[in-house]
């Protein structure tokens, strides 16, 4: 019997004064099917777990299905562009397969003769996967593959806009499962229409919640009473120092800023440029398709992008030309601009360009020197984005250690296109993921890229070893010599 079942019996038997929200019959049925499937799957062996993960991966990677999912995602959500989503769906899944290949995720996974500890991988059970509209296929697929690899079942709660693409993805997964003789109940989703009440009920009844998307969903996951991993807010800044290769930096920032119309939380929202190379760097960004707005144009853009302090849907994840048209900047809209740039000096709510924009709009700050650049980033993240990541373009790689030691960030991305690198890439060692833990800075309980380890319990068997009791002086001798007893 599942722990939650015994808790429910106890609550019903001895705590009738405690209010337990009624579970909708549809969700209760989902959970029941999911638990039955998971309990059989968990002990099916490593080959079965690997087969299920592979089936889910190929469901999204096969070119025809990938294209269909990408086009449906853009059509339904109005966010991003299909060609970039095709690349994202494929590369993120391929990279995840690489990370998982050959890993043992059930049974005994480690033995340490010196300590007498044996580690046994155990599934967590039923996973509630909360997913965003910005990546309505790639993010569910990533979570599903990780969960299956570890012997779990998954119920996805997609965003309302992303429901159709997620439903199509799960249909593709079920078709692959049929070929492999796997139970389709291992991967399910909430029935439409998805609302907060249904999502909250799923969170309460699952064994683990993994939440990506709005901070409201993350907070709801943490408040659900179920163990949860949630991500922090993005608002990535990149620093360009006087020793950087400016052309290389500009091309990488432009590629990151424009990919999928900046739907990624890892796309740069700001670039902080050393005063010594400020004008030269702006010229390089312009050569990559960036258009710097003047003060009047910036004011028009701000009015179009924010309504009552909230980002406007008409600009979110749209192309630079579409955004310029919405802002009444017809002369710019008719040009072939890749992204818009605005200069800024302030931070906080009264300076909305200092926050996350989810659009190909890049805020530009001028810094006196490296120390000032780091301080500008610190002030940006004090507003939005603490814990996520910072980019650094420099000829002095040791500067990254300074940022990693002093800024509230979980990742420092050196001389790379940030939105590709921070979630893992084939030219760095970070694990592939679409969900970035931001540590306590971002009010998260982890600071790594969300991966398979978050979907596992580990049981440790402790065998007896030869006793070794240290002498007190070996541990406190230095303290005693310096300060006495």
């Amino acid at each position: 019997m599942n722990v939650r079942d015994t808790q429910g019996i106890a609550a019903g038997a001895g705590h009738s004064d405690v209010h337990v929200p009624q579970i909708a019959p549809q969700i209760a049925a989902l959970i029941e099917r999911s638990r039955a499937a998971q309990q059989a799957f968990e002990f099916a062996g490593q080959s079965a777990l690997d087969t299920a993960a592979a089936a889910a991966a190929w469901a999204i990677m096969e070119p025809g299905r990938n294209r269909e999912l990408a086009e449906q995602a853009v059509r339904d959500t109005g966010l991003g562009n299909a060609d970039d989503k095709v690349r994202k769906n494929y590369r993120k899944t391929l990279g995840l397969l690489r990370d998982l290949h050959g890993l043992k995720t059930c049974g005994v996974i480690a033995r340490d003769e010196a300590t007498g500890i044996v580690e046994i991988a155990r599934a967590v059970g039923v996973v509630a996967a909360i997913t965003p509209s910005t990546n309505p296929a790639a993010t569910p697929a990533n979570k599903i593959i990780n969960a299956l690899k570890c012997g779990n079942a998954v119920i996805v709660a997609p965003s309302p806009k992303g429901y159709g693409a997620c439903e199509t993805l799960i249909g593709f997964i079920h078709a692959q499962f049929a070929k492999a003789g796997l139970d389709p109940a291992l991967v399910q989703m909430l029935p439409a229409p998805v609302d907060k009440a249904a999502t909250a009920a799923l969170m309460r009844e699952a064994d683990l919640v993994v939440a990506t998307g709005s901070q409201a969903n993350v907070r709801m996951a943490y408040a659900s009473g179920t163990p949860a991993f949630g991500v922090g807010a993005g608002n990535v800044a990149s620093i360009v120092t006087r020793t950087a290769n400016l052309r290389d930096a500009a091309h990488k920032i432009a590629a990151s800023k424009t990919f999928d119309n900046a739907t990624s939380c890892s796309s740069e929202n700001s670039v902080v440029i050393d005063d010594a190379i400020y004008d030269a760097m702006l010229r390089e960004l312009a050569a990559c398709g960036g258009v710097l707005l003047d003060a009047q144009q910036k004011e028009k853009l701000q009015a179009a992008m924010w309504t009552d302090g909230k980002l406007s849907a008409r600009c979110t994840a749209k192309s630079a030309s579409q955004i310029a048209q919405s802002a009444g900047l017809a002369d710019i809209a008719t040009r072939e601009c890749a992204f818009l740039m605005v200069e800024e000096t302030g931070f906080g709510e009264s300076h909305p360009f200092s926050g996350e924009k989810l659009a190909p709009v890049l805020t530009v700050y001028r810094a006196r020197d490296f120390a000032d650049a780091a301080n500008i980033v610190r002030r940006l993240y004090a507003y939005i984005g603490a814990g996520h990541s910072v980019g650094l373009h420099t000829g002095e790689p040791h500067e990254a250690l300074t940022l990693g030691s002093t800024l509230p960030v979980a990742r420092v991305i050196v001389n790379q296109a940030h939105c590709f690198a921070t979630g893992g890439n084939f030219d760095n060692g970070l694990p592939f993921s679409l969900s970035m833990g931001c540590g306590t800075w971002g009010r998260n309980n982890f600071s790594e890229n969300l991966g398979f380890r978050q979907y596992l319990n580990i049981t440790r068997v402790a065998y007896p070893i030869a006793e070794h009791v240290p002498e007190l002086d070996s541990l406190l001798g230095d303290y005693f010599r310096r300060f006495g007893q």
Side-chain angles (χ1 to χ4, degrees), residues 405-417:
S405 301
T406 59
L407 290 182
V409 293
R411 286 155 289 269
V412 181
I413 305 301
V414 185
N415 294 331
Q416 297 166 72

Side-chain angles (χ1 to χ4, degrees), residues 326-363:
S326 294
L329 304 174
D331 55 328
I332 293 175
T334 57
R335 295 159 57 181
E336 290 189 9
C337 60
F339 57 100
L340 307 176
M341 298 186 290
V342 296
E343 293 180 294
E344 185 58 88
T345 58
F347 312 90
E349 291 185 4
S350 58
H351 302 275
F353 285 108
S354 68
E356 188 174 30
K357 293 168 279 294
L358 291 175
V361 175
L362 185 66
T363 307

